[in-house]
Amino acid sequence: MKAHDGMYIDGAWRPAAGRDSIAVVNPADEQVIAEVPAGGAEDVDAAVRAARAALPAWAATAPAERAARIAALRDVLVARKDEIAETVTAELGAPLPFSQAVHAGVPILVAGSYASLAASYAFEEKVGNSTVYAEPVGVVGAITPWNYPLHQIVAKVAPALAAGCTIVLKPAEDTPLTAQLFAEAVHEAGVPAGVFNLVTGLGPVAGQALAEHEGVDLVSFTGSTAVGRKIGATAGAAVKRVALELGGKSANVILPSADLARAVGVGVANVMGNSGQTCSAWTRMLVHTSQYDEAVALAAEAAAKYGDRIGPLVNAKQHARVRGYIEKGVAQGARLVAGGPEAPREQGYFVSPTVFADVTPEMTIAQEEIFGPVVSLIRYEDEDDALRIANGTVYGLAGAVWAGDEAEAVAFARRMDTGQVDINGGRFNPLAPFGGYKQSGVGRELGSHGLAEYLQTKSLQF
């Protein structure tokens, strides 16, 4: 798609207040493919003012009509699915089949789920002698990351629309073209002017201005825990609501009764998807000591199949960061059994699928989020030891448990300090709440729990 040279504010593309721009780079060949405006506080203010002006009418719109607009948005995303996939591939570097199936396909599922929820959600209920109303929280400042550029937008915008909120979106500077395409889809779907607004720009400038703006009632942010802390502090000072989906270091726990080959194979695939740039990836594989050597061999074999099947990392900074973590793992005594820090290609931000053995729980690669195609295998002695290791990080976003008996896996999963656990390779559910414990965030996305984040309650007593 051709990049817009302005901001989408109050239903139209408008020139940016300043002249600064952001170069969009294809990470597969390091070539600049487009430029978009780098918005600042003046652009954010205009967008927030438009959202505030549109709020009363949109909040008063019947849920059925809001549902119809979301359904129309989903239909536009379906019609433009190929263009979405090509755009994500160009600016993120994901292989086209992955972009088609995941980057374009999943947001369509999520948008469809909120079209249904907006029409069926109980925005009013009787509680004794009270009537309780669920009302929109107001203007939402949505700040989204680059790793799943459209999914993260839809996971915030669709429930906000369903709730009756208006939105200002500040997308990641690495993937603004997908956000501009989404703004086009919103316009085509007939969402009223001012209900959705888009400002492209840098996080420390446009993102900070949005988080601090007194006209924003809720900040929904997905990204690093470090930035999430700053946004939380800013919101706390203003007594402003936040929804924070932050980092992860998820454990893939393989109990002795599990199908080891399947658990290891699916576990490696889980980390390699999106080149490891997934906050919920199962980057720590926990294996009983009696099966550890076999698991290491299986993991190395599985990783080797992804050598030419994964895309690059998003940018030069991320490329250097991931390679640095791999070097640190080697320096701390972990054993490389696949991949390594050496760049596999002369051009592009590629990193080889990497598997570490002999990883101990206190190592940096077992504690910090790498955000690359790196799997760490950790041995455990018994279930209590496995649980200690699984819960032994500051994160608690996701995880997996494998066992021959489902009840055994469920019993272990219930003891994990994490927000979402897949049992024996459980499938993605767009209606299940997604979010973390501990430093993985505050609040939930997806399904009715995600919708509730954008609502506040009012009770009338009779």
Side-chain angles (χ1 to χ4, degrees), residues 95-111:
L96 187 58
F98 189 86
S99 290
Q100 291 169 331
V102 177
H103 288 294
V106 172
I108 290 169
L109 288 177
V110 173

Side-chain angles (χ1 to χ4, degrees), residues 2-28:
K2 182 180 178 181
H4 290 273
D5 59 0
M7 311 297 184
Y8 183 76
I9 297 175
D10 203 19
W13 292 97
R14 301 185 175 189
R19 296 183 177 182
D20 292 340
S21 63
I22 298 170
V24 183
V25 176
N26 183 330

Side-chain angles (χ1 to χ4, degrees), residues 248-253 284 286 360-369 378 383-398 412 415-418 437-440:
K249 194 67 183 176
S250 302
N252 180 20
V253 182
R284 295 180 297 145
L286 278 56
T360 58
E362 70 277 3
M363 287 182 179
T364 301
I365 59 172
Q367 290 292 321
E368 297 184 9
E369 186 175 42
I378 305 172
E383 285 197 16
D384 287 340
D385 189 34
L387 185 69
R388 175 187 64 81
I389 297 168
N391 290 341
T393 75
V394 298
Y395 299 111
L397 184 56
F412 189 96
R415 299 166 68 195
M416 294 174 71
D417 296 334
T418 192
Y437 288 15
K438 301 187 287 187
Q439 292 188 27
S440 284

Side-chain angles (χ1 to χ4, degrees), residues 284-446:
R284 295 180 297 145
M285 185 179 293
L286 278 56
V287 184
H288 189 266
T289 187
S290 65
Q291 299 174 314
Y292 187 79
D293 290 342
E294 182 181 359
V296 169
L298 288 168
E301 181 181 355
K305 298 176 183 178
Y306 289 89
D308 57 358
R309 291 168 53 187
I310 64 173
L313 301 178
V314 70
N315 56 36
K317 180 180 178 181
Q318 182 69 6
H319 187 234
R321 180 177 184 270
V322 172
R323 293 175 68 186
Y325 270 113
I326 296 172
E327 291 170 349
K328 185 170 291 187
V330 173
Q332 292 182 349
R335 175 166 55 98
L336 272 174
V337 296
E342 297 80 12
R345 305 188 192 184
E346 292 184 2
Q347 189 176 44
Y349 306 126
F350 291 89
V351 170
S352 296
T354 297
V355 176
F356 277 109
D358 301 338
V359 177
T360 58
E362 70 277 3
M363 287 182 179
T364 301
I365 59 172
Q367 290 292 321
E368 297 184 9
E369 186 175 42
I370 298 173
F371 229 57
V374 183
V375 182
S376 296
L377 273 77
I378 305 172
R379 68 175 76 232
Y380 67 86
E381 299 296 329
D382 54 32
E383 285 197 16
D384 287 340
D385 189 34
L387 185 69
R388 175 187 64 81
I389 297 168
N391 290 341
T393 75
V394 298
Y395 299 111
L397 184 56
V401 181
W402 301 79
D405 178 63
E406 185 176 286
E408 179 187 6
V410 169
F412 189 96
R414 291 295 304 272
R415 299 166 68 195
M416 294 174 71
D417 296 334
T418 192
Q420 192 171 62
V421 185
D422 292 349
I423 304 297
N424 289 335
R427 293 180 294 111
F428 171 72
N429 179 3
L431 297 178
F434 180 81
Y437 288 15
K438 301 187 287 187
Q439 292 188 27
S440 284
V442 177
R444 293 294 181 268
E445 292 188 327
L446 305 181

Side-chain angles (χ1 to χ4, degrees), residues 166-240:
T166 55
I167 306 107
V168 177
L169 170 67
K170 204 300 286 184
E173 49 263 37
D174 290 290
T175 54
L177 302 181
T178 301
Q180 289 189 344
L181 195 158
F182 178 78
E184 293 179 357
V186 167
H187 190 87
E188 188 175 341
V191 175
V195 171
F196 170 83
N197 306 274
L198 169 68
V199 175
T200 55
L202 302 176
V205 181
Q208 184 172 337
L210 183 59
E212 294 177 347
H213 200 291
E214 62 181 10
V216 172
D217 300 294
L218 180 149
V219 179
S220 180
F221 169 78
T222 297
S224 71
T225 297
V227 176
R229 287 194 192 99
K230 294 179 182 177
I231 289 175
T234 297
V239 195
K240 182 183 301 185

